Structure formats: structure tokens, C-alpha cells
Amino acid sequence: MKKALGLFLTLISIFGFSQLAHATVDQALALTDGTNTVVINSSGTVFVLSGTATTVFSSGSGGTITWDGALGNYKVNVSTGQGSPTLAPVTLDLNSADTASGSTSGSLNILFSQNGNTITPPGWSLTFGGTLTSGSGSSVSLLAYGSNTDAFFGNTSSIASLGPFGPGAFSGTAGGSGAGLTTTPYSLTEDINVSGVGNTRYSGDASLNPVPEPASLTMIGTGLIGLAGLLRRKLVKA
């Protein structure tokens, strides 16, 4: 996993993706098995950075990127990443369905990244759930990280992780801190790693959500109390 991801980060650096920083929020979706690497930008344009990839469908608009295609041993991949403005600021969602057949399905990283983030919450909540059907020793895991350099897929600041989960249905939740993200704008990335053994089918969803400021929670609580009081007064009058 680390070797494949290291090669991927080297490739995007060579091709300039790691240097893309924007005054506004932007996204990128990527899949790599360490040999074959594809990146899809927020306009839906596909870049095959190494090896080969076959695109059936791709799209990008309004904070949502989708890619449907084949990459290495994973012959069926339908992946969608969502960020701002489809979702609230500093919120990411990545869902994917991926299938490989044969004795050497191997590793697949599915990544969704958003840069140009300017809001820094006190932390994030990371949730991950789905199903993995594969051989003994297979697993799936999720990492969430960020980068003060605002680089797509930059992994200099760890936020949280979940897994590895073995075959079968799985789910988990973890909290993470944004303490390492000390400058703005910065990037955020969700990274799903499927490590298949033999015939493999993965389907799941990963979500990174900001934790509200304590003051915001207090305001929400105060508003709910006020609403409850108003409803009680109306009921008494009725």
C-alpha cells in the first residue's frame, strides 16, 4: 500500500497535479494500483499518468466527480467523490464499487481530494462502511489527511484512519484533529485502500465531516430550547 501510494504521489508531482493550488475550492479524483494511475479533474477530464486505463464514463461539475472505467486487474470501477459546493465546506464523501477477478487482484487506492479550504474546524468525524468480498488475507482501510501546501492528495498531516477491515460487511467511525493544518488554504484527502486476494468485490462509502465549534453547538441548543418553549406556549393557548 505504502509503495503504491508513494509511486502515485511521485507521479502527480511530476505531472504537476501536486502543485495545483487555487483561490477557490477545487477537487480531483484518482485511482491507482501502483502501476496504472488515472486522475480525473473537476471538469471530468481524465489523465492517465502511468500504465493504462479505460474510461467508460467520466464527469465533473459542481463539486462532484465520477469515473467509470477499468484499471489494471480491477476491470470494473465506479467511483464518485463529492465536496464543496455540493456538500458543506470542508466535507468530503467518497463512494466506490470495484471488482477484480483472478488470483492476483492486488491493491487499489481510490482517492478524492479537495484544495482551497479556508475553514479550519476543531476536528473531523470520519465514517466508513460497506462490504468486501475477497479471499483470506484481504482487507480494506481508509485514511483521511491534509496538507498545508494545499496540494491535491498531499498527505503531510494525518487526520484519522479506519481499518483494516477483513472480508464481509464492515463499518466504523473515528474522530480526528485538524491540529496539523495550521495555514490556509489547505487540502483534504480521503484515501480508500482495497487489498484484494483472488476474486474481489468492494462496495462502500467514506465520509469526512467537520465537528462544529462549541459556540455553534451552544447556539443550536439555545435555538432548540427556544423553539420548544414557543411550541409549549402555542399548545397551552390552544
Side-chain angles (χ1 to χ4, degrees):
M1 174 181 171
K2 289 183 178 179
K3 183 178 179 182
L5 185 56
L7 174 60
F8 167 69
L9 292 172
T10 299
L11 284 167
I12 62 172
S13 177
I14 292 171
F15 280 80
F17 283 95
S18 66
Q19 303 303 316
L20 292 179
H22 303 268
T24 57
V25 174
D26 199 10
Q27 295 88 18
L29 174 70
L31 289 86
T32 182
D33 63 3
T35 300
N36 307 284
T37 299
V38 62
V39 176
I40 306 92
N41 69 13
S42 56
S43 298
T45 304
V46 178
F47 301 87
V48 180
L49 301 190
S50 67
T52 59
T54 302
T55 298
V56 176
F57 172 80
S58 69
S59 68
S61 178
T64 299
I65 302 174
T66 296
W67 185 71
D68 177 352
L71 182 87
N73 292 322
Y74 287 82
K75 303 302 183 184
V76 178
N77 303 277
V78 182
S79 304
T80 298
Q82 291 185 314
S84 180
T86 301
L87 303 179
V90 298
T91 302
L92 301 183
D93 187 84
L94 175 59
N95 68 77
S96 192
D98 310 271
T99 301
S101 60
S103 60
T104 57
S105 53
S107 181
L108 176 70
N109 281 79
I110 309 143
L111 307 97
F112 182 66
S113 191
Q114 175 172 284
N115 67 2
N117 301 288
T118 57
I119 298 172
T120 307
W124 279 270
S125 174
L126 184 66
T127 61
F128 188 34
T131 303
L132 175 66
T133 303
S134 192
S136 177
S138 62
S139 66
V140 60
S141 59
L142 170 66
L143 297 173
Y145 42 78
S147 173
N148 288 313
T149 64
D150 201 29
F152 279 136
F153 313 110
N155 61 352
T156 57
S157 181
S158 176
I159 295 175
S161 64
L162 287 167
F165 301 100
F170 64 89
S171 65
T173 302
S177 170
L181 298 171
T182 56
T183 63
T184 59
Y186 62 89
S187 63
L188 290 170
T189 299
E190 286 187 301
D191 177 6
I192 297 170
N193 176 254
V194 181
S195 182
V197 177
N199 294 333
T200 298
R201 293 194 305 274
Y202 160 76
S203 178
D205 183 82
S207 182
L208 182 68
N209 295 282
V211 175
E213 295 278 0
S216 299
L217 292 175
T218 300
M219 290 176 65
I220 292 171
T222 302
L224 290 174
I225 292 170
L227 180 60
L230 179 61
L231 290 173
R232 280 198 300 269
R233 287 194 294 272
K234 287 187 175 181
L235 288 173
V236 169
K237 289 180 179 180

